[in-house]
Amino acid sequence: MICPKCGQEYEGDKCPRCNGPEVIVNNADYLKRKRAYEEKQAGKGSASSDKETSENNTADVKNGGQEEVLPDEMFRRLKESGSKFAQDAVEKTASQAKKAVKGKKKLIVRIIAAAIVLMLASLAGFGVFKLATRKNYVLYMKYNNKIYNVAGIDSKLVCSEDDIVFEADNNSFYMPEFSDEIDKNNIIQKMASNQGKYFTAITYDSMEDKYTLFVWNNSMSLRLAESSNKKEILYISDKGTIIYKDTQVVNDQGALGQTSLMVSKLDKSKDGDVHGVITEVESSLANVYIYSAKNTIIYNSTGNVLYTLNYDKDEKKKEISEDAKNIYALTSKSSVRYSYKANPVNQSDKAEGFIYSVNGNCYYHSISSKNTEDMFIGKFNGSGVELIYDKDYVYVINSGQVSYASVKKDVTPVFTVVSKLGGASDYVFLELADTIAAVDENNNLISISSGKVKTIAENITDGSLSIVKNTSSELTYIRDNVQYYKKSLTADEVKMTDVGSDADTVSTLFYKNKLYYYNSDKKLCSCTVKGKNGSVVGDVERFWLGTEYK
């Protein structure tokens, strides 16, 4: 292990170099204290909860929001946050931990504890703060342009929405000082980088008919671009790199012409002044997706030429196909689900590839692999296609039906239609169970696993099936004008509330052993996971789990 005092690598109970103290974690005592603490905090209405790993990633948060952090992820976070000495030490400690996985749990505990002690000793105050608090989610709601914290017994006014800037996930936010150059009344879009190192905003001056792109932080402010072209921010990195769209406005009625894909980077001149360097990546953009953890843009032109570009490196764009009409990007809360309608920005480090179609033939392209040959996975086309692809098999949801096939290299997949869906093509994918839950054409709730179908419940309202937010496999749906909660496909259903057939179930979320949802009057309500203690919170335009960063 690594000595937390002097950094010496050794085996045994004490460091032979400095006789540093033995690092032992009494796991039983720790768990006992942890339970007592959590019970005490729950009694106080504590607002602490863990944020899921992003784009949304994306460990799901349950039971008070505690995030399960595996050793590899813990060491990665520690290593990225520390000094050079601490990074090297954690690298060695992680190596020891991996070797000790089989049968040496006590050693793993000691290694992890030593790594944490070492890092805490070497981290700067700001870095420690970020490491310790960045994953804390609490419940917020928006009403009449005001943001409220509703994590505790009483709702607390946080601020006006005008005073905050959301990250790309639209959940976590900062309250920065705005540049004096920016007229807050003219802001039409704004975004923060993930660590809050930079902020960007677009303003529109109706008198001048001008859109202006700004970037700023507490030490600088720049007016990057200004024109009559409509602008849309897609993403801003912690280096101040901004990816945005720039679209021609062709007449006074607001008709739009061609869209360009732009990348703005910050640079320093010899005298130390910061300025923006803007590059037009594509002059005729059709579709674009960003995998921010991989610093990669995936896009095609209106001429269907498909490219990838690493925007962090000064590399040339890479042509993938000359005729790729559709791109199916990885959705933000899955590692296997691909969709034409995926969010433009995926911040998960699981985003390794994407699917595209050429003349109806679908291929999987890995952005990380050095293999230049893309995997053929079937013949499908269209913007309504969604795919669940996990190397060995593929589901295709298209034209109201679910098809399944095994996938092998150099073998053409043979698809079988396993189920026809209702008119809403209502389905969710339960990734941990490797199972599709769906509403079929007869309004049955079904499960599909390994291509086999099983009926779970009957008379489900088509279009009402949703995964409860902040969970990985808990479901909600409407049957006979009642909204139900189901902890798993095999669990008993729990009645939440009487609703209309068109009630919103998509927004339903789990937080601190409660379910939050909209009732038929579009008011925010809550109940326990057993359907008890139902109450109305009030009128809410939006509610979500997020984090306020100072």
Side-chain angles (χ1 to χ4, degrees):
M1 65 183 295
I2 303 297
C3 176
K5 184 176 180 180
C6 69
Q8 172 71 32
E9 182 178 359
Y10 69 95
E11 295 182 4
D13 295 330
K14 290 188 178 183
C15 174
R17 179 181 176 186
C18 68
N19 291 318
E22 180 182 11
V23 181
I24 297 177
V25 176
N26 187 322
N27 202 41
D29 286 350
Y30 165 75
L31 292 175
K32 183 178 179 180
R33 293 195 304 272
K34 179 175 181 288
R35 283 194 299 270
Y37 173 79
E38 288 177 342
E39 290 171 359
K40 181 179 179 180
Q41 291 298 98
K44 292 181 178 179
S46 169
S48 67
S49 171
D50 278 351
K51 176 180 175 181
E52 67 182 304
T53 303
S54 123
E55 82 83 8
N56 299 291
N57 298 31
T58 59
D60 289 302
V61 183
K62 296 178 60 177
N63 301 327
Q66 296 302 316
E67 178 190 8
E68 179 183 3
V69 182
L70 299 177
D72 278 356
E73 175 65 5
M74 180 182 290
F75 286 121
R76 182 186 69 78
R77 295 184 191 179
L78 290 170
K79 184 172 179 290
E80 289 180 352
S81 302
S83 65
K84 181 65 171 67
F85 167 76
Q87 290 174 0
D88 293 341
V90 172
E91 191 71 50
K92 292 179 182 178
T93 307
S95 177
Q96 288 188 0
K98 291 176 183 178
K99 292 178 181 178
V101 166
K102 295 185 178 180
K104 296 184 180 181
K105 295 182 179 179
K106 185 175 181 181
L107 177 58
I108 293 175
V109 172
R110 291 182 180 180
I111 289 171
I112 293 175
I116 293 173
V117 171
L118 175 64
M119 293 304 296
L120 292 178
S122 62
L123 291 176
F126 178 78
V128 173
F129 174 80
K130 279 299 192 184
L131 182 66
T133 66
R134 186 156 180 76
K135 300 301 177 186
N136 293 331
Y137 254 5
V138 298
L139 184 63
Y140 292 95
M141 69 180 190
K142 173 189 170 185
Y143 182 67
N144 281 344
N145 204 42
K146 297 290 191 296
I147 305 297
Y148 296 86
N149 181 327
V150 290
I153 297 176
D154 299 319
S155 299
K156 296 179 181 179
L157 175 64
V158 177
C159 62
S160 166
E161 188 179 22
D162 296 336
D163 297 327
I164 67 174
V165 182
F166 282 100
E167 294 180 2
D169 65 4
N170 203 34
N171 293 323
S172 301
F173 58 88
Y174 293 83
M175 286 191 287
E177 291 290 333
F178 283 78
S179 166
D180 293 337
E181 288 188 88
I182 301 173
D183 185 344
K184 290 175 66 174
N185 295 322
N186 287 342
I187 292 177
I188 58 174
Q189 189 188 5
K190 52 191 174 179
M191 187 180 294
S193 68
N194 282 1
Q195 296 289 337
K197 294 182 178 180
Y198 290 95
F199 304 92
T200 182
I202 294 172
T203 61
Y204 176 65
D205 187 330
S206 58
M207 299 296 293
E208 297 289 335
D209 189 27
K210 284 185 178 180
Y211 294 86
T212 306
L213 175 68
F214 293 91
V215 64
W216 81 97
N217 59 20
N218 59 3
S219 62
M220 54 81 71
S221 175
L222 289 176
R223 187 184 299 252
L224 293 172
E226 188 171 67
S227 71
S228 59
N229 287 355
K230 186 175 181 180
K231 294 168 176 54
E232 178 187 351
I233 302 163
L234 299 175
Y235 183 70
I236 179 171
S237 77
D238 282 311
K239 292 183 178 180
T241 299
I242 302 171
I243 304 167
Y244 69 99
K245 295 180 182 180
D246 191 83
T247 303
Q248 297 173 356
V249 181
V250 297
N251 59 35
D252 294 338
Q253 285 70 46
L256 301 178
Q258 287 193 152
T259 296
S260 294
L261 178 63
M262 315 294 289
V263 174
S264 171
K265 291 187 174 184
L266 298 182
D267 195 11
K268 280 188 178 182
S269 60
K270 292 182 179 180
D271 58 6
D273 290 336
V274 178
H275 60 279
V277 178
I278 297 178
T279 302
E280 183 182 59
V281 174
E282 173 59 52
S283 62
S284 187
L285 181 68
N287 304 287
V288 59
Y289 302 94
I290 300 166
Y291 290 178
S292 61
K294 299 296 189 294
N295 301 318
T296 298
I297 304 173
I298 304 155
Y299 69 96
N300 62 346
S301 67
T302 54
N304 296 334
V305 183
L306 173 63
Y307 300 96
T308 61
L309 172 69
N310 188 313
Y311 58 83
D312 193 49
K313 300 178 181 178
D314 292 326
E315 296 179 346
K316 292 183 179 180
K317 59 187 179 183
K318 179 182 178 182
E319 182 178 318
I320 306 301
S321 172
E322 293 181 349
D323 190 20
K325 184 176 181 180
N326 295 306
I327 305 172
Y328 309 101
L330 188 67
T331 58
S332 58
K333 295 185 178 180
S334 174
S335 62
V336 295
R337 183 177 174 180
Y338 299 83
S339 174
Y340 182 87
K341 300 175 183 177
N343 290 335
V345 179
N346 188 321
Q347 300 187 75
S348 170
D349 56 9
K350 295 180 181 179
E352 295 282 352
F354 59 93
I355 296 169
Y356 64 94
S357 66
V358 179
N359 297 323
N361 296 312
C362 286
Y363 300 88
Y364 174 82
H365 177 82
S366 172
I367 61 176
S368 301
S369 173
K370 294 181 180 180
N371 186 1
T372 57
E373 184 178 351
D374 293 343
M375 185 76 173
F376 174 68
I377 58 174
K379 295 181 71 66
F380 297 93
N381 200 7
S383 59
V385 176
E386 295 196 353
L387 305 100
I388 297 168
Y389 172 56
D390 195 16
K391 304 298 184 291
D392 297 325
Y393 69 85
V394 60
Y395 288 100
V396 177
I397 297 88
N398 187 30
S399 302
Q401 63 186 26
V402 180
S403 303
Y404 172 84
S406 298
V407 176
K408 295 181 180 179
K409 188 175 182 180
D410 300 325
V411 177
T412 300
V414 178
F415 282 87
T416 301
V417 176
V418 295
S419 180
K420 292 186 177 180
L421 304 181
S425 293
D426 201 8
Y427 85 97
V428 296
F429 184 64
L430 310 178
E431 194 153 338
L432 294 179
D434 205 22
T435 299
I436 292 175
V439 178
D440 69 11
E441 60 182 343
N442 298 315
N443 295 109
N444 296 317
L445 174 62
I446 61 173
S447 66
I448 307 173
S449 180
S450 300
K452 298 179 181 179
V453 179
K454 181 180 179 180
T455 300
I456 306 298
E458 299 178 347
N459 202 28
I460 306 301
T461 300
D462 189 28
S464 70
L465 178 64
S466 300
I467 289 183
V468 176
K469 290 184 177 181
N470 203 27
T471 76
S472 61
S473 58
E474 299 174 25
L475 304 174
T476 184
Y477 53 81
I478 296 171
R479 179 167 58 81
D480 298 329
N481 292 329
V482 174
Q483 183 175 354
Y484 289 93
Y485 161 75
K486 203 171 180 63
K487 189 171 184 178
S488 69
L489 281 170
T490 57
D492 293 334
E493 61 183 17
V494 175
K495 179 179 177 180
M496 294 170 57
T497 184
D498 295 317
V499 294
S501 59
D502 61 343
D504 171 18
T505 62
V506 175
S507 301
T508 303
L509 65 80
F510 172 94
Y511 179 64
K512 288 190 175 180
N513 294 317
K514 284 189 176 182
L515 299 170
Y516 291 84
Y517 57 92
Y518 282 123
N519 66 9
S520 297
D521 298 324
K522 303 301 180 184
K523 294 182 183 294
L524 176 61
C525 301
S526 70
C527 68
T528 68
V529 292
K530 294 184 178 181
K532 306 295 184 181
N533 302 329
S535 63
V536 177
V537 178
D539 293 306
V540 173
E541 297 168 23
R542 179 195 171 205
F543 64 98
W544 73 96
L545 291 179
T547 307
E548 173 192 351
Y549 299 131
K550 301 296 184 180

